[in-house]
Amino acid sequence: MSRDPDSQGPVDGDTDQQEMIPSKSAVLVDGVVLNGPMTDAKAGEKFVEEACRLIMEEVVLKATDVNEKVCEWRPPEQLKQLLDLEMRDSGQPPHRLLELCRDVIRYSVKTSGSVSNMYAMNLARYKYRPDIKEKGLFGLPRLILFTSAECHYSMKKAASFLGIGTENVCFVETDGRGKMIPEDLEKKVWQARKEGAAPFLVCATSGTTVLGAFDPLDEIADICERHSLWLHVDASWGGSALMSRKHRKLLHGIHRADSVAWNPHKMLMAGIQCCALLVKDNSDLLKKCYSAKASYLFQQDKFYDVSYDTGDKSIQCSRRPDAFKFWMTWKALGTVGLEERVNRALALSRYLVDEIKKREGFKLLMEPEYANICFWYIPPSLREMEEGPEFWAKLNLVAPAIKERMMKKGSLMLGYQPHRGKVNFFRQVVISPQVSREDMDFLLDEIDLLGRDM
Amino acid sequence: MSRDPDSQGPVDGDTDQQEMIPSKSAVLVDGVVLNGPMTDAKAGEKFVEEACRLIMEEVVLKATDVNEKVCEWRPPEQLKQLLDLEMRDSGQPPHRLLELCRDVIRYSVKTSGSVSNMYAMNLARYKYRPDIKEKGLFGLPRLILFTSAECHYSMKKAASFLGIGTENVCFVETDGRGKMIPEDLEKKVWQARKEGAAPFLVCATSGTTVLGAFDPLDEIADICERHSLWLHVDASWGGSALMSRKHRKLLHGIHRADSVAWNPHKMLMAGIQCCALLVKDNSDLLKKCYSAKASYLFQQDKFYDVSYDTGDKSIQCSRRPDAFKFWMTWKALGTVGLEERVNRALALSRYLVDEIKKREGFKLLMEPEYANICFWYIPPSLREMEEGPEFWAKLNLVAPAIKERMMKKGSLMLGYQPHRGKVNFFRQVVISPQVSREDMDFLLDEIDLLGRDM
């Protein structure tokens, strides 16, 4: 922080305010007038709050919009100038503040992480050995957990944070569609045991980030039962299928999970971020595991009943307002309204898949189960070529080239990536209710328009 | 979730919408009309967003208001009925949703926890032994950290979460004013070493929750230097004094800390929650410690520069919007505006202290350093009594009795608690800019009014 060379010391109250209050009651302590609230400051604060709210909304809305750019990248030195980061002695006028808001949003990375998986890992560990809470992990056999190679990066981050270590996250093989292979899971659990490690948790995924794959929960639950392992299901992305009677079979076996992470906002609640951790337990596990907090909150006022926070609650949220937001949305739209959203998103996905199959030059990576549609565009020059090394090498360059043209034209944003031996492909994730059939048609038309001379 | 017995299956699109779109282009997939966006659903969603925003604001504003009740307590069974928790197939009308919002707020516990201390602990651990990130804590000597007995409960919670264990949080003695005793810290560090444990972190507190005490940072920093320990300062509550040239001496030595947690909203930004973790480091510690996340965020689009997130940045926030909110507030009010708030809050505290000293029947626990004013009200019947066991036993009942009268009358809310051998006392925390001198006078008048017949 810098100070202007001509700045004054602490301001001795507000002159307007002094005029409002009869001078006989004015009280001055340490050079500060203490009568009445600081009304001017409050007005300024109100503006800041309003501006922030307005802009936050824009950020949140855009963050959940698949077609939005993740970031308008600028080098740090340029950002420093663009954003006018320096703090000054005096406040800035409203219009300047709004400009700053807009700039910050423009050049910020828009992301959300998920802490639900970490909370689940901590609960599983507590269940495995409650005394870890007091004693730590020192002197214990190496704890080990299992997840598929397609899982969310947050599992490694959580293992590192919880003192378990990233190397003790054991990756189970997946099949060609990205689903965990139960036989490989069981093999690796036995192997870990033989090495003297202590398996305690399996994290299955319902709806992987890239392919939208669903692990076979029922078979995985059998293995967890046999080995007394906690089954956590990361249904952050795929959990919304549970709202649809038509599509919930994707999560068959989820009732056997010990915990489930779910971000309903991804498909159900555009514009409202929400992440939930659902825990099945009738032994006060949550309370016992996190009781340091509970005892603090409830120590001061004796008329609180400490048992209030436990009992038959099965849904706990790491952030209370999240649970509240989802509850309100459910209340507002009803169960049928939420089901409609899921059905619509998956019907739109189906439409896109059918169009890709119909159109010349488009090729699906695989028949999707969910709303992640992965496909290649094969430009005319490659259509007659044999699918050998040269073909794949050339196809690998197509998606990046088309994306560059899209960005220059500003027509639309569509992600691409290589994945597990597949060369660069486009990935469209369909989220209801913002997109329509017309958007799907436009997407394919535009790719063809930009790529047909390649 | 329950379904109404007379509920329909998935709704086959919206009839209004079908009329808006020429029927020749209507596309039906899996029983869902895919033309155009779901406009009706969007309107409903907009309402939910607006209502939530409105109410959230009220929650946040009230949560930072010292005079607000923490919770309107009701037993679980009664809450179930009051809040109408059941989910239904169809959505509810706007006025009913607003009622629900109001009820939820009324019966909810309003709190905030702080994760900054946990992030700092993780960084300190990484600095101590980087390979813990991959290997975990298995086979290592017992890590141990030091904090004062007056510290925030979050240190124990963090130690448990990170696999260090609550028993490895070593509590250092405090003096009569609640300040950490440096000699006892050094003694306990030596003792831990002798026992074969591995000291790695000292967490000092600048502004304790109850007494508002400031640990002697300079002397603590000396000890940390001698023993190569990370110095973290929890300045969540007291950090705002740094904005005042008059009061920043309370945090003398803070420039020697490796990390500092600060919640500027507590004194500077009423109504806007914000928690920050400031880290002093020139070795890319944050990036290396949390790189699982960084590599995920930056892998997909090659035009991003991975070095963007590091460099000379010294402020990192666990939640980006928090940093943004504080930055905007600083921009809006200026350095002088923030300083003015701190000076005002501490001048008001001074005023309250002076009044307590002047008035008969009021007694300070101790001369406060900051904005936590702890005091007893001694009713007329006890004023002539000797300060022996009987006096303290009787005084212990006074604050709860007065508070009960306050609540029944609904005049004001004021916390009380016993603390380290002191019988129940009142604690007023003065936060600018909402309160004024008149509020301080009213507070003392009201206590006297309610307690003078005791």
Side-chain angles (χ1 to χ4, degrees):
Chain A
M1 131 180 100
S2 73
R3 285 189 178 275
D4 301 343
D6 58 340
S7 83
Q8 304 288 313
V11 173
D12 291 342
D14 186 299
T15 44
D16 287 347
Q17 206 166 290
Q18 280 179 298
E19 283 168 9
M20 285 162 57
I21 291 164
S23 58
K24 67 179 168 73
S25 74
V27 172
L28 212 90
V29 176
D30 288 348
V32 181
V33 177
L34 296 184
N35 304 67
M38 293 171 74
T39 40
D40 278 21
K42 274 200 96 118
E45 184 178 276
K46 200 170 155 51
F47 165 78
V48 175
E49 274 182 55
E50 271 168 17
C52 287
R53 204 180 326 121
L54 183 90
I55 310 290
M56 280 300 147
E57 205 177 310
E58 204 181 313
V59 175
V60 174
L61 279 171
K62 290 196 173 168
T64 50
D65 183 345
V66 240
N67 300 317
E68 266 295 313
K69 261 191 200 181
V70 182
C71 177
E72 182 90 36
W73 191 81
R74 291 288 183 282
E77 277 311 310
Q78 200 182 325
L79 273 178
K80 258 193 197 166
Q81 286 172 12
L82 277 167
L83 297 182
D84 180 27
L85 291 173
E86 191 66 20
M87 292 307 178
R88 298 202 183 76
D89 280 7
S90 40
Q92 309 244 319
H95 73 273
R96 180 73 193 116
L97 295 175
L98 278 173
E99 276 170 26
L100 285 173
C101 284
R102 233 173 278 125
D103 288 346
V104 167
I105 290 166
R106 192 156 168 209
Y107 304 111
S108 292
V109 181
K110 290 142 201 106
T111 56
S112 58
S114 156
V115 293
S116 304
N117 290 331
M118 185 152 69
Y119 278 96
M121 200 181 284
N122 189 38
L123 280 171
R125 181 174 71 174
Y126 181 79
K127 173 89 170 193
Y128 176 74
R129 265 195 84 139
D131 62 346
I132 288 174
K133 183 180 171 184
E134 288 87 27
K135 306 283 181 192
L137 295 166
F138 311 105
L140 289 184
R142 186 165 56 92
L143 293 187
I144 192 164
L145 64 107
F146 303 84
T147 189
S148 89
E150 300 269 337
C151 82
H152 195 256
Y153 75 96
S154 65
M155 295 311 287
K156 274 180 86 165
K157 198 186 154 200
S160 146
F161 209 73
L162 267 62
I164 292 167
T166 53
E167 287 180 8
N168 294 313
V169 179
C170 178
F171 291 107
V172 180
E173 295 295 318
T174 53
D175 65 16
R177 304 181 53 81
K179 291 165 175 291
M180 187 189 281
I181 300 172
E183 293 74 21
D184 190 60
L185 168 63
E186 189 146 34
K187 199 184 88 185
K188 287 201 159 82
V189 171
W190 279 118
Q191 206 172 310
R193 290 222 154 129
K194 228 180 286 174
E195 289 167 7
F200 76 109
L201 165 69
V202 174
C203 174
T205 312
S206 291
T208 58
T209 311
V210 179
L211 302 178
F214 287 74
D215 288 340
L217 300 182
D218 228 22
E219 290 160 86
I220 293 170
D222 288 342
I223 297 169
C224 289
E225 250 174 47
R226 278 200 288 279
H227 295 268
S228 300
L229 306 175
W230 181 285
L231 174 56
H232 172 67
V233 178
D234 181 353
S236 298
W237 166 228
S240 296
L242 285 172
M243 301 307 298
S244 159
R245 282 165 288 184
K246 184 180 173 65
H247 297 287
R248 64 171 57 154
K249 59 180 181 292
L250 287 167
L251 296 109
H252 183 70
I254 199 167
H255 60 285
R256 298 174 66 188
D258 296 289
S259 57
V260 174
W262 183 25
N263 296 357
H265 73 90
K266 289 193 178 173
M267 191 174 274
L268 299 177
M269 308 154 58
I272 306 179
Q273 279 200 316
C274 174
C275 69
L277 178 64
L278 290 81
V279 179
K280 179 165 57 182
D281 170 63
N282 50 19
S283 67
D284 271 2
L285 199 65
L286 273 161
K287 189 189 152 199
K288 285 187 264 176
C289 185
Y290 291 106
S291 62
K293 190 176 175 186
S295 71
Y296 174 85
L297 290 180
F298 293 105
Q299 79 192 6
Q300 295 183 348
D301 289 283
K302 281 158 216 131
F303 61 87
Y304 286 178
D305 179 354
V306 181
S307 72
Y308 167 80
D309 219 14
T310 60
D312 55 3
K313 272 169 90 174
S314 62
I315 298 182
Q316 291 277 344
C317 237
S318 50
R319 295 172 56 219
R320 275 160 211 272
D322 282 1
F324 173 69
K325 285 182 279 184
F326 183 42
W327 183 71
M328 278 306 292
T329 308
W330 200 329
K331 278 282 182 197
L333 300 178
T335 306
V336 168
L338 294 178
E339 176 169 43
E340 204 184 333
R341 293 195 170 197
V342 176
N343 287 343
R344 183 184 160 87
L346 293 176
L348 266 172
S349 305
R350 201 63 246 160
Y351 175 81
L352 182 61
V353 166
D354 292 344
E355 282 297 306
I356 287 171
K357 285 179 180 170
K358 265 191 235 161
R359 296 189 185 211
E360 208 193 341
F362 287 88
K363 187 181 164 71
L364 279 175
L365 245 80
M366 61 185 63
E367 196 68 41
E369 291 184 290
Y370 200 49
N372 308 42
I373 319 298
C374 303
F375 62 96
W376 288 287
Y377 174 73
I378 301 162
S381 67
L382 297 181
R383 285 182 200 167
E384 304 304 316
M385 200 182 283
E386 203 190 337
E387 291 191 7
E390 195 196 337
F391 171 84
W392 294 113
K394 286 195 165 165
L395 188 60
N396 194 38
L397 305 173
V398 172
I402 290 179
K403 180 159 182 182
E404 199 186 324
R405 290 181 182 186
M406 274 179 190
M407 286 175 66
K408 283 183 179 153
K409 190 176 167 190
S411 53
L412 57 85
M413 287 287 289
L414 178 64
Y416 71 87
Q417 71 262 88
H419 187 70
R420 316 209 128 235
K422 310 277 189 191
V423 303
N424 279 318
F425 55 87
F426 288 117
R427 181 170 62 112
Q428 175 66 40
V429 177
V430 181
I431 298 182
S432 169
Q434 299 101 318
V435 288
S436 66
R437 181 187 61 79
E438 290 84 345
D439 296 319
M440 302 291 109
D441 290 335
F442 177 74
L443 174 78
L444 299 181
D445 291 345
E446 189 69 8
I447 291 173
D448 188 48
L449 189 73
L450 294 170
R452 67 169 60 144
D453 66 339
M454 285 179 183
Chain B
M1 131 181 99
S2 74
R3 285 188 177 277
D4 302 341
D6 59 340
S7 83
Q8 304 287 313
V11 173
D12 291 341
D14 185 298
T15 44
D16 286 347
Q17 206 167 289
Q18 279 180 300
E19 283 169 9
M20 284 163 56
I21 291 163
S23 59
K24 70 178 165 71
S25 74
V27 172
L28 212 92
V29 175
D30 288 349
V32 181
V33 178
L34 297 183
N35 305 67
M38 293 171 76
T39 40
D40 277 21
K42 275 201 96 117
E45 185 177 276
K46 201 170 155 50
F47 166 78
V48 175
E49 274 181 57
E50 271 169 18
C52 287
R53 204 180 325 120
L54 183 90
I55 310 290
M56 280 302 148
E57 205 177 310
E58 203 180 313
V59 175
V60 174
L61 280 170
K62 290 196 172 167
T64 49
D65 184 345
V66 241
N67 299 317
E68 266 296 312
K69 261 193 201 181
V70 182
C71 176
E72 182 88 37
W73 191 82
R74 292 287 182 284
E77 277 311 309
Q78 199 182 328
L79 273 178
K80 259 192 197 166
Q81 286 172 11
L82 278 167
L83 297 181
D84 180 25
L85 290 174
E86 191 65 22
M87 291 308 177
R88 298 202 184 78
D89 280 7
S90 41
Q92 309 243 320
H95 74 274
R96 179 73 192 116
L97 295 175
L98 279 174
E99 276 170 27
L100 286 172
C101 285
R102 232 172 281 126
D103 288 346
V104 167
I105 291 166
R106 191 155 169 210
Y107 303 110
S108 292
V109 180
K110 292 143 200 105
T111 56
S112 57
S114 157
V115 293
S116 304
N117 291 331
M118 184 153 68
Y119 278 96
M121 200 181 284
N122 189 38
L123 280 171
R125 182 175 69 174
Y126 181 79
K127 174 89 170 191
Y128 176 73
R129 265 193 85 140
D131 63 346
I132 288 174
K133 183 180 171 184
E134 287 89 26
K135 306 282 182 194
L137 295 166
F138 311 106
L140 289 183
R142 187 165 55 92
L143 294 187
I144 193 165
L145 64 108
F146 303 83
T147 189
S148 89
E150 300 270 336
C151 82
H152 196 257
Y153 75 96
S154 65
M155 295 310 286
K156 273 180 87 166
K157 200 186 152 199
S160 147
F161 210 73
L162 268 61
I164 291 167
T166 53
E167 286 179 9
N168 293 313
V169 179
C170 177
F171 292 106
V172 179
E173 295 295 317
T174 53
D175 65 15
R177 305 182 51 81
K179 293 165 174 291
M180 188 189 280
I181 301 172
E183 293 74 21
D184 190 61
L185 168 63
E186 188 145 37
K187 198 184 89 185
K188 288 202 158 84
V189 171
W190 279 118
Q191 204 172 311
R193 290 221 154 129
K194 228 180 286 173
E195 290 167 5
F200 76 109
L201 165 69
V202 174
C203 174
T205 312
S206 292
T208 58
T209 310
V210 179
L211 302 177
F214 288 74
D215 287 340
L217 300 182
D218 227 23
E219 290 160 85
I220 293 170
D222 288 343
I223 296 169
C224 289
E225 250 174 47
R226 278 200 289 279
H227 295 268
S228 300
L229 306 176
W230 181 285
L231 174 56
H232 172 68
V233 178
D234 181 355
S236 299
W237 167 226
S240 296
L242 285 171
M243 300 308 299
S244 159
R245 282 165 289 187
K246 185 180 173 66
H247 297 289
R248 62 172 55 153
K249 59 180 182 292
L250 286 167
L251 295 109
H252 182 70
I254 199 166
H255 61 285
R256 299 173 67 188
D258 297 287
S259 56
V260 175
W262 183 26
N263 297 355
H265 73 90
K266 290 193 178 175
M267 191 174 275
L268 298 177
M269 308 152 60
I272 307 179
Q273 278 200 316
C274 173
C275 69
L277 177 65
L278 291 81
V279 178
K280 179 164 56 179
D281 170 63
N282 50 19
S283 68
D284 270 3
L285 199 65
L286 273 162
K287 189 188 151 199
K288 285 187 265 177
C289 186
Y290 291 106
S291 61
K293 190 177 176 185
S295 70
Y296 174 86
L297 290 180
F298 293 105
Q299 78 192 7
Q300 294 183 348
D301 288 284
K302 281 156 216 135
F303 62 87
Y304 285 179
D305 179 354
V306 181
S307 71
Y308 166 80
D309 218 16
T310 60
D312 55 3
K313 272 167 90 176
S314 61
I315 299 184
Q316 291 277 345
C317 236
S318 50
R319 294 173 57 219
R320 275 159 211 270
D322 282 2
F324 173 70
K325 286 181 280 184
F326 184 41
W327 183 71
M328 277 305 292
T329 308
W330 200 329
K331 278 283 181 196
L333 301 177
T335 306
V336 167
L338 294 178
E339 176 169 43
E340 203 184 334
R341 292 196 171 199
V342 175
N343 287 344
R344 183 184 159 86
L346 293 176
L348 265 173
S349 305
R350 201 64 245 156
Y351 174 81
L352 182 61
V353 166
D354 292 344
E355 282 298 306
I356 287 171
K357 286 180 180 168
K358 263 190 238 162
R359 296 188 186 211
E360 208 193 340
F362 288 88
K363 186 181 165 73
L364 277 174
L365 246 80
M366 60 186 62
E367 196 68 42
E369 293 183 289
Y370 200 49
N372 309 40
I373 320 299
C374 302
F375 62 96
W376 288 287
Y377 173 72
I378 301 162
S381 66
L382 298 179
R383 285 181 200 165
E384 304 304 316
M385 201 183 281
E386 201 190 338
E387 292 190 7
E390 196 197 335
F391 171 84
W392 292 115
K394 286 194 167 166
L395 188 59
N396 193 38
L397 305 173
V398 171
I402 290 179
K403 182 160 182 182
E404 199 187 322
R405 290 181 183 186
M406 273 179 191
M407 286 175 67
K408 283 184 181 153
K409 190 177 167 188
S411 53
L412 58 85
M413 287 287 290
L414 178 65
Y416 72 86
Q417 72 261 90
H419 187 71
R420 317 209 127 235
K422 309 278 189 190
V423 303
N424 279 318
F425 55 87
F426 288 116
R427 181 170 62 113
Q428 174 67 39
V429 177
V430 180
I431 298 183
S432 167
Q434 299 102 314
V435 288
S436 66
R437 181 188 60 79
E438 290 84 347
D439 296 319
M440 302 291 109
D441 290 335
F442 178 74
L443 173 78
L444 300 181
D445 291 345
E446 189 68 10
I447 291 172
D448 189 46
L449 190 71
L450 294 170
R452 67 168 63 144
D453 66 339
M454 286 179 182

